[in-house]
Amino acid sequence: MKREKFKFLSKDRVPSENSRFVSGKGNFVADIDRPNMLHVAILPCHEPAAIIKKIDFSKALELKGVVDIVTGDELLNAIKPLLNGLDTPHVKRYPLAIKRVRYAGEWVCAVVANSRAVAEDALEKISLELIKQEFVLDAEEALSDKSPNVHPDHGSNILLEKKFIWGEVEKDFDKSDHILNYTVKWGRNSTVPIETFGVVAEWNNIESILDVWASIQMPKFSDHIATVLGLKGNDVRVHFDVDVGGSYGVKRGIKHTILASYISRKLNRPIKFIEDRLENMRAGDAHGPERKFNVSLAFDNNGKINSMKMRALDNAGAYAGRAPFQLGKPIGAIVGPYKISSVEYEAISVTTNKAVQEAVRGFGQAPTNYALETGVDKVASYLKVDKLDLRKLNFIKASEFPYTIPSGSEYDSGDYLTVLEKVFKETNYKDLINKRDKLRKKGIMAGVGIASCLEPSGGNSSFEPLLNEKNKTTTWMESCQINVDALGDIIVKIHTTSSGQGHETLVSTIVGEILEVSPEKIRVSRPNSLESLPGNSPVGSRMAIMLGGAAARAADKIKSKIMEIAKFKFGVSKDNLIYKNASVISNDGNVLTWQQIIDLCHRQINELPSGMDPGLASFDIMQVPTGGKLPKNNKVHMYPCYSFEFHLVLITFDPVICKPNILSYTVGHDCGTVINPSIVTGMTYGGVAHGIGAALFEEFVYDENGQLMTQSFLDYLMPSSNEIPEIKIVKHCTPSPHTYFGQKGSGESGYLGAPAAISSAINDALNPLKLEVSSLPIRMHFVSDLIASHENNGKFKK
Amino acid sequence: MKIEININNNIEIHEVEPRVTLLDFIRDNVGLKGTHAGCEHGVCGACTVLMNGEAVRSCLVLAVQSMGDKIITIEGVNSEDSESGLLNIIQDAFCEKHGLQCGYCTSGMILTAEALLKVNTSPTREEVREAISGNICRCTGYVQIVDSIMLAADRLSKRNTSPDKS
Amino acid sequence: MKPAPFNYERPKTLDAVCDFLAKNSNSLILAGGQSLLPMLSMRLSRPSLLIDVAHVKGFEEIKKIGNTINIGPMVRQSVALESSVLKNHLPLLIKALPFVGHPPIRVRGTLGGSLVQADPSGEIPLVAVTLGAVFHIRDGNDNIEILARDFFLGPMLTAMPSSGCLYKISFPVSKYSKIGCGFHEIASRKSDYAFASTAVQIEQNENGKIETISLGIGGALDYPQVINISGYNEKKINLKLLKELISEALLNIDFVGDFHASASYRKRVTIKLASRSFSDALKEIGYI
């Protein structure tokens, strides 16, 4: 398809989902009520580690309106443990703690009652008898033999420890002029959607079917439910027409769903479980990576970075969750946009007595980008060269694509220098530096930050076989169905829930583009899992590529059938036919209109080519482009597409108060062909805001007693409209050769570079004092105390 | 206890416990699901409704406290003010400027914008930011929300201009 | 996150309020509820009775009587912000109020509620101690007057009798011709609990002489406190001198530290904010 002829694609069109949301007509899980429904509330245990000796809930059961109380012991005998994807048979997770509590807030009991309020009343009447155990919170400490094991049967706290060597690392280190070692830390934060996780589960024992409505963004969700509950796959019906109130990766409430489903089967009544904010924050198992990086960079006098050694130690929390794999995905872009010829990467994931991690936007890529970008800044500072020039020197050039990185991924396309040029037309780098210097002269701390990074997109799961040899998965398909009804109207079915990504707009735009029908006229339906074809949900920035790709291919199949009919009807070859405005025109002037096509397909099989089926419908199950191979020699090609982003920031702050003021924020963004500009722009703004949150505000802080200090929105601080500046986005398009329209992913854009850019700016501001901060979030008092102690030291020296 | 509250110009009479918040009353007793629970402790603003024309957080008000007040939720926001018959100018502007993604904070944002534009018909971007600063959005980074409210303000002021002047 | 059960009453007179308080030892006054509702929902507070004072006669009044401004406890923060009486006579309060929560909080939040809540970072308590407000409390049949600076004892801890009801807040009106004031605070995000806040009021007589200087600090301590600044009478006041005097005055004060903000940070910031507040106040009276 010729790109310049887009009718609907890349045009500023209002996303079709918007009108239901602005009128309060979204269909969120909390809005779903079923007849005879019961409600669940959870009793947490506030010890970070303890053996559960006794749970006495007799008084709670006496309370009017309380129907049942479920404990871990009951679940142990009734269901299988949740799946974690690793080969760690002794690290078992159930929805409720089994015999032992492994982090403060872990769920111990579920009360089922007529209302949520009564269920909470009952929680207060349950008493726990516990034997406190030793606990460990810090990841390095957890590695030590002296630390208690979070899972004693597992024998250590290590979930994953893998060292990869790609290329001639030692040789490259030996031949380099300089080596720089540094440590950076990424604080435990998450995407914390405004909607908590919620689920309504309803077992129907007459039909043996479990209906599930959930605020879900999770691959293989219904398979997981069926496996753990011991049901057949076709016993579970997950409804995809639930609107999800934000996710950005974390809405995978599998333990919530298993719990609600189990109770529903047991009681044969619909169960509603909507986490409250406290349940969500402390034990929704939706924290993000908490990571320490020890990095060595080997580079030459001229600034050329030759090799990198990176040790990434991740504090997974009490159970495996998705934490270990979040160390795996960054392998796909481990060198960022730079030509680094060899890499040693050691990934270690350890259990501690903290809450469990879930997939967070970027799946580990943002912390890795922060670690790498901080290093690039450090090299520049060490060599006393401009950090922008250093990046330009090390960039992969536009002419060098496709470019294979040491770990095996092949970058599809890019033109980083052109993106930078475009950014500087909007916000000139030199001008920004001058502005910074003027501000400094006034006694204001001022710093310019930059970050350049990649967004691997088109998500597949190829890091799973890389980290777990028993996993032989090589496909991560997505699918789409199209039916043109007897009135000629188009229905497109997608097989996933959406959490704000605009999938309905995505497919209606693409199908409309190919069939040349106004997207407004296309109805997009989100059926349940039993009426769906296989898919893997919106993870890894994949839907523009995968759902968009499947929709395009399905539409092509419709078009092919129409062309076959026209060929037969007019008795000419395909070359003499043109598809235009939903009609087919032959070169001798015959026209087959849409209405005629519909009549032929739905009413006149006698007029169709012999053997052709009636109706006008298609489906497509699409494999991830460039995917499909198992790892070889510890290397694997991961995602098909690599979007690029460049951040340029100016931050100022008072040297005492240290409240960062973001004076200027510009992002250059290249995600190939854009399907809907306002959706992509919005996601990038939102990603930057997330990144600013991670860099400056957001952290799940545990005190020395293992208690979560940031359980509510009073202490877990998310940026408001006062903290997010006016962000300028500069767009560029380098199409991907691997996708239908040249599109790449953009769901993680902004977030992947913003933390690094903010940190870069603050460190630039501190640079004249020879001070630096190397952990996120960067708290005001930390910077202020750093400056103050520097001044005091200075006085001492005098 | 039995209480009466005016919600979207309907008198809603329900038997509720005093502990029921206005948020839960609207959702569970009245059955209007457009008002959303985000934090239930007054920080996120997702549950914002209009009370006597002003934006308040419905999770920080007990239903019993609201007897005698006039409440407008997202479902009632277009009753007096709709030109299209479907969406009012602010709702329309949020659609057009894509001032949302997942839609969860949107009701609260729109009602907060309603309250702002009632008292300040031509706000600056900074004033808009200040007005919505109590409504947390995790999707948009706020930029397109501010764009939406600015567009709505512009259209409202044009609508309010008499034809001979414009 | 649903409150534990309680009863609800909506009395119309102060006598009736006191009656409920006397008869129910585990009762609480609901004065807007913007701080109380989260405590109820998290079950950190479990009253058996809530007494909603929103409909008590006179509780929403703002009146100037002689040299006193009397404010009813149910005056909403948003109403106070627009009050011409307060704008004319209590400009410091007007400067502080925009820092209280967000606009929707101020619509429901009240002056009395905020004072009795006694959050260490509360802006209204800080202004009350700085300006020497007096709290009028009815406890059974007794009328008690407590000076603001004697009222606050610790975080969420006050001298309020258990069955007492705050029914009036009195602020003295300055007798001098000119007053200047300044209010500054710093939080992680605007409207968060302040790491430090400072309130300053300066009174000047007709001859341009500065008669009084009041500095209150909040957020950084367990409760808002007035800091005595001495030694300015002898010399001409300037910001440098004031900064020295403030630093001296804060020397032996213990600041609060937590993971949001260290004690050393809060102290330095308090000094800086106090200087800014003084600068604003002095500019207002044309002194600098």
Side-chain angles (χ1 to χ4, degrees), chain A residues 534-722:
Chain A
N536 284 288
S537 85
V539 296
S541 282
R542 67 198 298 273
M543 285 320 224
I545 295 163
M546 294 302 299
L547 178 58
R553 287 156 48 114
D556 268 345
K557 289 174 189 173
I558 298 278
K559 203 170 169 180
S560 294
K561 177 164 181 171
I562 293 171
M563 297 305 275
E564 280 301 313
I565 294 168
K567 201 174 93 179
F568 176 75
K569 183 93 184 156
F570 298 144
V572 296
S573 75
K574 260 190 192 168
D575 300 341
N576 296 318
L577 296 170
I578 299 170
Y579 184 96
K580 200 175 175 195
N581 294 329
S583 297
V584 188
I585 303 158
S586 73
N587 63 346
D588 51 6
N590 286 316
V591 178
L592 187 64
T593 66
W594 186 256
Q595 189 54 51
Q596 288 169 323
I597 296 163
I598 299 308
D599 281 340
L600 289 170
C601 290
H602 279 281
R603 300 176 185 90
Q604 299 161 349
I605 197 164
N606 55 314
E607 300 281 325
L608 291 180
S610 158
M612 183 179 272
D613 291 332
L616 188 55
S618 70
F619 71 88
D620 189 76
I621 305 176
M622 183 179 155
Q623 160 68 344
V624 181
T626 74
K629 292 183 195 78
L630 282 172
K632 234 186 205 169
N633 305 326
N634 269 334
K635 283 187 185 187
V636 70
H637 168 63
M638 287 212 195
Y639 288 12
C641 307
Y642 294 81
S643 302
F644 175 73
E645 60 193 57
F646 176 74
H647 299 243
L648 176 61
V649 197
L650 174 63
I651 292 182
T652 61
F653 52 93
D654 174 273
V656 173
I657 293 167
C658 294
K659 183 167 182 151
N661 182 15
I662 304 172
L663 282 189
S664 170
Y665 203 117
T666 312
V667 196
H669 186 214
D670 180 358
C671 62
T673 304
V674 168
I675 312 292
N676 182 298
S678 62
I679 289 179
V680 170
T681 306
M683 290 202 282
T684 309
Y685 285 137
V688 170
H690 258 170
I692 291 172
L696 298 175
F697 301 102
E698 301 182 36
E699 189 178 14
F700 292 106
V701 179
Y702 285 83
D703 71 6
E704 66 274 20
N705 300 314
Q707 298 299 313
L708 181 61
M709 305 296 287
T710 51
Q711 295 195 21
S712 79
F713 284 176
L714 298 170
D715 289 307
Y716 187 93
L717 308 180
M718 297 172 290
S720 80
S721 50
N722 277 328

Side-chain angles (χ1 to χ4, degrees), chain A residues 12-25:
Chain A
D12 260 320
R13 301 169 54 79
V14 174
S16 56
E17 294 88 343
N18 288 6
S19 50
R20 72 171 179 266
F21 293 124
V22 299
S23 46
K25 296 281 188 285

Side-chain angles (χ1 to χ4, degrees), chain A residues 473-486:
Chain A
T473 308
T474 54
T475 182
W476 204 243
M477 73 291 274
E478 196 56 52
S479 58
C480 185
Q481 307 178 60
I482 300 177
N483 183 39
V484 185
D485 69 17

